[in-house]
Amino acid sequence: MLQGSRRKQGAPGQLEPMLNGSSQDHPPMSPQVQVQGSGERAPAPEPPPYPPPPPPCTRPRLVFHTQLAHGSPTGRIEGFTNVKELYAKIAEVFDISPSEILFCTLNSHKVDMQKLLGGQIGLEDFIFAHVRGETKEVEVTKSEDALGLTITDNGTGYAFIKRIKEGSIIDHLKTVCVGDHIEAINDQSIVGCRHYEVAKMLKELPKATPFTLRLVEPKKAFDMIGLRTKSTKSAGEGRMGSGRETLRLRSKGLATVQEAPSEFEERAARKVDDLLESYMGIRDVELATTIVEAGKDKTTPDDFAEALDSVLGDFAFPDVFLFDVWGAIGDVRNGGI
């Protein structure tokens, strides 16, 4: 049976006469059809789905606290997925340029290379940003093959000194310090170069020929700032679970929250980091961790070399280095020191 009114074709807004006489005689209007004030039908709202979908699972915000290492109010940052974005967030909080930031340390305002921010941040870590201080130039004469420098970089184009070997050429130059950013070699800017590139340039400098290093030291920190072990966050803010979780920053792709490295991974990464220093004159915990991740589940050196080449092919590691790394990972896996 037809109910209600039906619009004539070609006559918008007009109604046909009721089939059952007056409008008072026709049955009640179907609940699926509503009449607007103009006499036009309007579709009834879609019924809610049944059962209703569960509310979306919202991921807790990861909020970190930060200060400038030489002294500042405490700021809050979030929403970064790599080191470059992290520096941009810190710079925004303190109204400085991201290029002012040389490197960051975790839970300590001091120039402590053991606390250097690498590829992972604990969810309760407090971030201290070390910014550009004074610029200085030092003349160096390379009397030996090795200068005694170990280089690392901040992931955004600044290489800096991570270690100075005791008794080395550089150790005798007291104006050169751990934490100094190497801005230029013989007036050639090296901003934007990776640490291994800078180490190679220094290694290839001829002996007995003086050269100039232009260095930028970080601003000196105030001793009154205490060592931080955890940030004071409100309940539930930025927490993802156990205290062993970390935010893993990656040079490519999004950051991920994952469990902190196992004892095996930490020990293996330390040994690989030592090998990086021996072979390439660099130290880089993030790089060492990536190498260990590539090799921990491989069963042959060839599989390991292939896996490493797929993620770190740009480094062109020599075969002798790869074999030593494979041996170091195997020693740790088998319970060696």
Side-chain angles (χ1 to χ4, degrees), residues 166-239:
E166 186 176 357
S168 65
I169 297 171
I170 296 297
D171 188 42
H172 290 98
L173 303 173
K174 299 308 178 184
T175 54
V176 182
C177 303
V178 168
D180 285 353
H181 160 48
I182 304 175
E183 189 173 58
I185 301 174
N186 285 333
D187 292 328
Q188 176 186 348
S189 174
I190 59 167
V191 173
C193 295
R194 293 299 312 272
H195 45 11
Y196 61 91
E197 295 174 313
V198 177
K200 184 179 179 182
M201 291 178 197
L202 293 172
K203 185 176 183 179
E204 292 177 348
L205 288 170
K207 291 174 63 174
T209 301
F211 65 93
T212 301
L213 289 177
R214 185 163 74 239
L215 307 171
V216 180
E217 63 183 35
K219 278 190 177 180
K220 297 297 187 293
F222 297 149
D223 291 336
M224 65 187 70
I225 301 178
L227 183 70
R228 300 295 183 110
T229 56
K230 289 186 178 181
S231 64
T232 53
K233 299 187 179 185
S234 59
E237 181 183 272
R239 300 189 181 206

Side-chain angles (χ1 to χ4, degrees), residues 81-82 249-255 286 310-311 314:
T81 60
N82 54 50
L249 303 176
R250 303 178 187 276
S251 57
K252 297 179 181 178
L254 299 177
E286 180 185 2
S310 68
V311 293
D314 292 344

Side-chain angles (χ1 to χ4, degrees), residues 2-310:
L2 296 175
Q3 296 179 350
S5 60
R6 189 172 48 141
R7 188 184 306 177
K8 289 184 180 179
Q9 294 182 358
Q14 299 183 15
L15 300 177
E16 289 184 347
M18 297 295 178
L19 297 179
N20 294 327
S22 69
S23 61
Q24 295 167 345
D25 297 328
H26 81 282
M29 186 174 294
S30 169
Q32 281 77 26
V33 178
Q34 296 178 349
V35 178
Q36 296 179 331
S38 63
E40 294 184 358
R41 292 184 185 186
E46 289 290 333
Y50 184 83
C57 181
T58 56
R59 187 184 183 91
R61 290 187 307 143
L62 295 178
V63 181
F64 295 87
H65 288 77
T66 182
Q67 287 182 357
L68 299 180
H70 64 280
S72 76
T74 298
R76 292 154 51 95
I77 56 172
E78 60 180 303
F80 54 89
T81 60
N82 54 50
V83 174
K84 187 174 181 180
E85 291 180 4
L86 165 63
Y87 285 14
K89 293 287 185 179
I90 294 174
E92 183 179 357
V93 167
F94 296 112
D95 195 24
I96 60 176
S97 169
S99 62
E100 290 293 302
I101 301 174
L102 297 181
F103 55 86
C104 293
T105 51
L106 299 176
N107 306 317
S108 173
H109 69 285
K110 298 180 180 180
V111 181
D112 184 347
M113 296 295 106
Q114 301 302 313
K115 303 288 186 180
L116 196 64
L117 184 151
Q120 301 193 55
I121 307 175
L123 299 190
E124 297 295 325
D125 282 344
F126 197 107
I127 303 171
F128 288 92
H130 299 253
V131 301
R132 295 173 65 96
E134 295 183 3
T135 301
K136 54 194 177 185
E137 289 196 353
V138 181
E139 186 174 280
V140 184
T141 299
K142 191 176 181 182
S143 56
E144 303 174 15
D145 290 333
L147 292 169
L149 282 179
T150 299
I151 311 296
T152 191
D153 66 40
N154 67 356
T156 65
Y158 286 174
F160 58 95
I161 299 171
K162 188 168 186 180
R163 179 182 292 181
I164 297 174
K165 184 178 180 180
E166 186 176 357
S168 65
I169 297 171
I170 296 297
D171 188 42
H172 290 98
L173 303 173
K174 299 308 178 184
T175 54
V176 182
C177 303
V178 168
D180 285 353
H181 160 48
I182 304 175
E183 189 173 58
I185 301 174
N186 285 333
D187 292 328
Q188 176 186 348
S189 174
I190 59 167
V191 173
C193 295
R194 293 299 312 272
H195 45 11
Y196 61 91
E197 295 174 313
V198 177
K200 184 179 179 182
M201 291 178 197
L202 293 172
K203 185 176 183 179
E204 292 177 348
L205 288 170
K207 291 174 63 174
T209 301
F211 65 93
T212 301
L213 289 177
R214 185 163 74 239
L215 307 171
V216 180
E217 63 183 35
K219 278 190 177 180
K220 297 297 187 293
F222 297 149
D223 291 336
M224 65 187 70
I225 301 178
L227 183 70
R228 300 295 183 110
T229 56
K230 289 186 178 181
S231 64
T232 53
K233 299 187 179 185
S234 59
E237 181 183 272
R239 300 189 181 206
M240 298 290 293
S242 72
R244 287 283 295 169
E245 287 183 318
T246 65
L247 180 66
R248 177 72 189 275
L249 303 176
R250 303 178 187 276
S251 57
K252 297 179 181 178
L254 299 177
T256 56
V257 175
Q258 61 187 43
E259 289 295 315
S262 65
E263 182 180 356
F264 157 74
E265 290 170 327
E266 289 183 339
R267 291 174 59 203
R270 285 196 296 268
K271 291 180 73 70
V272 173
D273 203 22
D274 290 341
L275 290 170
L276 284 170
E277 183 174 20
S278 298
Y279 280 90
M280 303 179 68
I282 64 174
R283 292 195 77 89
D284 188 328
V285 175
E286 180 185 2
L287 177 60
T289 301
T290 301
I291 292 173
V292 171
E293 288 178 346
K296 66 182 180 181
D297 60 348
K298 300 299 180 290
T299 57
T300 68
D302 288 341
D303 289 343
F304 167 60
E306 184 177 344
L308 201 60
D309 190 55
S310 68

